Amino acid sequence: MTHLILELTNLYQTKNNMTNYQNNDTICAVSTPNGSGAIAVIRLSGSKSLEIIDTVFVRTSKELHHATCNFGTLYDGQDIVDEVVVSYFQSPRSYTGEDVIEISCHGSRYIQQKIMELLIKKGARYALPGEFTFRAFRHGKLDLAQSEAVADLIVSESKKAHDIAVSQLKGSYSSSIKTLRSKLIDILSLFELELDFGEEDVEFAKRDEMRQLLDDIESELSKMIKSFELGNSIKTGITVTIIGKPNVGKSTLLNLLLNEEKAIVSEIPGTTRDVIEDVINIDGFLFRFIDTAGLHETSDVIETIGIERTIERINQAEIILHVIDLENAEQSALTSEIQEFRNHLKNKDKKWILIGNKIDKVSEKPEWIKSVFGDEMIVISAKKHQNIELINSKLRDYVLERQISDRSVVTNSRHFDAMVKARESIQSAQQAFAANISNELISVDIRQALYHLGSIIGEVTTEDVLETIFGKFCIGK
Ligand code: GDP
């Protein structure tokens, strides 16, 4: 029966997705994850929230006060549905800015479903994905960038990604965009003032100052655009690939780093047939490992596919862990191996970490390695778990070195696109300015830049853009 109800609900929700976000319906949704749990939270938002809850919720306190929890029983006619705690947040002092009710109920699927049906019977409708946050945006509780930070916060899996989402949610990022916009508006208004006085040839805007202002804006934007690379990798994990000849201990090392038996460890050269990916968290930074089949030439078909992929992954990875076997290492072979590896690199500007493995077999770093590589090579034993922390700290240091202030880290590709477009407009304004082209034309470029920056925080957006953004949220958020 519950199964049937759920299917009907899904059907209803699919149909209901036709509804757009622009209305004042009272909406409801289960805000906790799908499935059963100890408790679940069902949210209700809109002008009819109080009226709806009053018809089904029996409790001792007659009136519900702002920001209070109220224990009582939910009824469907004469039937008890559940004993629940109802929290009430009065408009405008709620997440959405509307009257919000949150029902904490027992978390069985049946109860959740039953309560949802009840609320809908009493006049609410199923919320669309992200519709609660959309309302928060519509009522000026959050700007668009902050709303998107809510989605990032929910999915953030490392301390760093969490920190960035929190800072964006708190509005630090939006305020950088607002500052840039207000600088542009200043320039624009001076230009327009000059246009008004066109005939009289008045110059309100000092050319040098204007140029300086445009340069500053351009460089600020460039900094933010550059931070996207970092911001994005913080969110999804910085890619690391392990390479090296067969049997040097790549799989053993990977297993150790991942702390679980994901890759196949074998004595037979070239048995790591597939490319395996996994993510580890080192001090709040995510690293996405890609295991590889090695760089050696082989006629084995499966292995060949592996090598092609390896080369592809080398070029995708930001950090390369190049493992060698200290016991069998030989200076000229290693030099040509490094050369061969470098030949595969499209972008030479990558972090390359050389790891000498199996130190347990040679007891000491060979002399020639000491003289050729010095401290550049980390010496470990994957099998005996020796010095693995040195790899972790190299990885962590790499991110810290690249670190720039959180304030301007861009993690969202929509923002990145808008910034790139804004910068193009600014650059076009700079060129026009240098060529002494009329203020009227420069104003067009500045307006374009303002538009693109405004789209980040939602000051200028179309219905479609909003629906795309909020449509990606989960239901109940
Ligand atoms: P891959 O082909 O590079 O992935 O190498 P594997 O991880 O499969 O390891 C090949 C062999 O070397 C296995 O027998 C491992 O147990 C062994 N091995 C890996 N690391 C070490 C190490 O640090 N010391 C010793 N003595 N053996 C190791």
Side-chain angles (χ1 to χ4, degrees):
M1 180 62 185
T2 314
H3 191 68
L4 183 69
I5 296 171
L6 279 174
E7 276 189 2
L8 284 173
T9 309
N10 288 340
L11 198 70
Y12 179 87
Q13 279 176 336
T14 315
K15 255 182 83 186
N16 207 38
N17 278 342
M18 303 293 175
T19 317
N20 70 26
Y21 289 80
Q22 302 288 359
N23 56 62
N24 295 314
D25 298 346
T26 294
I27 52 172
C28 62
V30 180
S31 288
T32 33
N34 217 341
S36 52
I39 59 165
V41 175
I42 291 170
R43 245 188 195 164
L44 193 60
S45 177
S47 57
K48 284 204 258 164
S49 297
L50 265 188
E51 189 187 312
I52 291 173
I53 201 73
D54 272 342
T55 60
V56 294
F57 181 49
V58 177
R59 72 271 178 180
T60 44
S61 56
K62 197 168 168 343
E63 237 182 276
L64 296 179
H65 297 286
H66 170 70
T68 56
C69 291
N70 307 268
F71 178 73
T73 308
L74 275 188
Y75 279 89
D76 181 6
Q78 301 296 313
D79 299 337
I80 292 180
V81 178
D82 194 13
E83 287 195 323
V84 298
V85 174
V86 165
S87 319
Y88 170 54
F89 303 93
Q90 192 175 25
S91 164
R93 291 180 291 164
S94 68
Y95 180 66
T96 60
E98 304 172 328
D99 272 350
V100 168
I101 295 283
E102 283 183 8
I103 305 169
S104 303
C105 60
H106 292 102
S108 83
R109 278 170 178 269
Y110 176 77
I111 291 176
Q112 296 178 36
Q113 207 48 57
K114 198 75 197 145
I115 296 176
M116 287 297 289
E117 282 173 32
L118 194 57
L119 300 176
I120 281 156
K121 202 158 74 182
K122 298 293 177 185
R125 76 156 161 84
Y126 281 103
L128 300 172
E131 198 169 6
F132 293 94
T133 309
F134 172 78
R135 291 193 173 188
F137 166 68
R138 192 171 69 183
H139 296 124
K141 292 267 163 185
L142 300 169
D143 67 34
L144 201 52
Q146 286 174 309
S147 306
E148 289 169 300
V150 172
D152 285 348
L153 194 62
I154 296 170
V155 297
S156 62
E157 285 187 353
S158 70
K159 180 173 181 331
K160 203 73 216 153
H162 172 265
D163 286 351
I164 291 177
V166 168
S167 134
Q168 193 169 321
L169 181 60
K170 288 272 170 214
S172 62
Y173 178 81
S174 304
S175 82
S176 305
I177 301 288
K178 282 181 189 146
T179 309
L180 284 179
R181 284 195 95 222
S182 79
K183 284 182 185 166
L184 286 171
I185 289 170
D186 285 348
I187 301 181
L188 202 60
S189 51
L190 285 172
F191 277 177
E192 292 190 346
L193 210 57
E194 281 180 17
L195 285 177
D196 289 345
F197 285 79
E199 304 278 296
E200 294 156 48
D201 210 15
V202 195
E203 200 176 271
F204 288 97
K206 285 210 181 88
R207 309 298 283 178
D208 282 351
E209 282 176 23
M210 289 294 115
R211 186 175 306 122
Q212 187 59 48
L213 211 53
L214 281 176
D215 289 352
D216 290 349
I217 293 169
E218 200 267 349
S219 86
E220 184 69 20
L221 276 174
S222 293
K223 229 167 52 191
M224 291 175 111
I225 287 167
K226 201 155 174 249
S227 79
F228 179 73
E229 197 188 325
L230 172 66
N232 209 33
S233 59
I234 281 172
K235 243 165 88 169
T236 57
I238 295 156
T239 41
V240 185
T241 186
I242 304 183
I243 61 153
K245 293 241 184 283
N247 248 9
V248 295
K250 298 181 296 297
S251 317
T252 313
L253 174 62
L254 180 76
N255 284 339
L256 197 58
L257 290 168
L258 296 178
N259 223 356
E260 56 181 294
E261 296 284 314
K262 279 273 161 85
I264 313 146
V265 181
S266 148
E267 294 279 3
I268 311 152
T271 41
T272 313
R273 306 243 159 168
D274 230 330
V275 178
I276 298 165
E277 273 193 43
D278 225 320
V279 179
I280 60 168
N281 185 328
I282 300 174
D283 293 347
F285 301 114
L286 290 185
F287 294 91
R288 194 147 45 87
F289 275 83
I290 302 161
D291 191 16
T292 67
L295 274 175
H296 60 293
E297 296 296 322
T298 174
S299 55
D300 183 312
V301 180
I302 304 171
E303 197 58 27
T304 307
I305 295 167
I307 287 165
E308 277 167 10
R309 279 205 223 151
T310 301
I311 294 168
E312 203 178 291
R313 298 283 167 107
I314 283 179
N315 283 309
Q316 279 172 3
E318 228 179 297
I319 303 176
I320 291 145
L321 300 184
H322 185 178
V323 184
I324 64 147
D325 175 352
L326 287 173
E327 193 189 29
N328 299 311
E330 192 260 308
Q331 187 168 356
S332 67
L334 180 59
T335 317
S336 60
E337 187 182 328
I338 291 172
Q339 197 48 51
E340 183 195 4
F341 148 80
R342 294 213 155 240
N343 289 343
H344 288 303
L345 275 186
K346 284 199 194 105
N347 167 10
K348 309 282 175 205
D349 189 25
K350 285 180 193 271
K351 179 71 179 173
W352 172 54
I353 301 171
L354 193 57
I355 297 169
N357 189 30
K358 308 197 186 179
I359 187 69
D360 55 298
K361 283 205 170 163
V362 293
S363 75
E364 214 200 329
K365 221 187 218 181
E367 277 309 316
W368 63 269
I369 285 189
K370 276 191 206 160
S371 62
V372 177
F373 298 103
D375 288 338
E376 218 189 300
M377 183 187 286
I378 303 176
V379 173
I380 65 157
S381 167
K383 196 170 184 175
K384 303 261 154 86
H385 302 198
Q386 261 171 280
N387 287 352
I388 305 304
E389 68 286 353
L390 294 181
I391 300 179
N392 286 351
S393 75
K394 274 261 185 206
L395 293 174
R396 188 183 44 230
D397 290 352
Y398 170 75
V399 191
L400 292 174
E401 273 165 29
R402 274 194 1 179
Q403 193 75 289
I404 41 175
S405 82
D406 282 356
R407 224 168 99 81
S408 52
V409 171
V410 179
T411 55
N412 182 306
S413 59
R414 190 183 72 82
H415 301 174
F416 173 74
D417 289 343
M419 281 173 191
V420 168
K421 286 185 185 137
R423 185 175 60 178
E424 279 166 13
S425 304
I426 296 292
Q427 285 166 342
S428 153
Q430 283 174 308
Q431 283 160 10
F433 205 84
N436 246 334
I437 289 170
S438 82
N439 286 356
E440 211 165 354
L441 289 175
I442 303 177
S443 297
V444 175
D445 287 328
I446 294 181
R447 277 183 198 286
Q448 277 293 325
L450 271 172
Y451 171 83
H452 294 304
L453 290 178
S455 73
I456 296 174
I457 48 177
E459 289 196 6
V460 281
T461 33
T462 63
E463 195 71 11
D464 287 356
V465 170
L466 290 180
E467 295 204 354
T468 312
I469 293 171
F470 288 97
K472 284 192 203 130
F473 276 61
C474 43
I475 290 183
K477 192 59 230 170

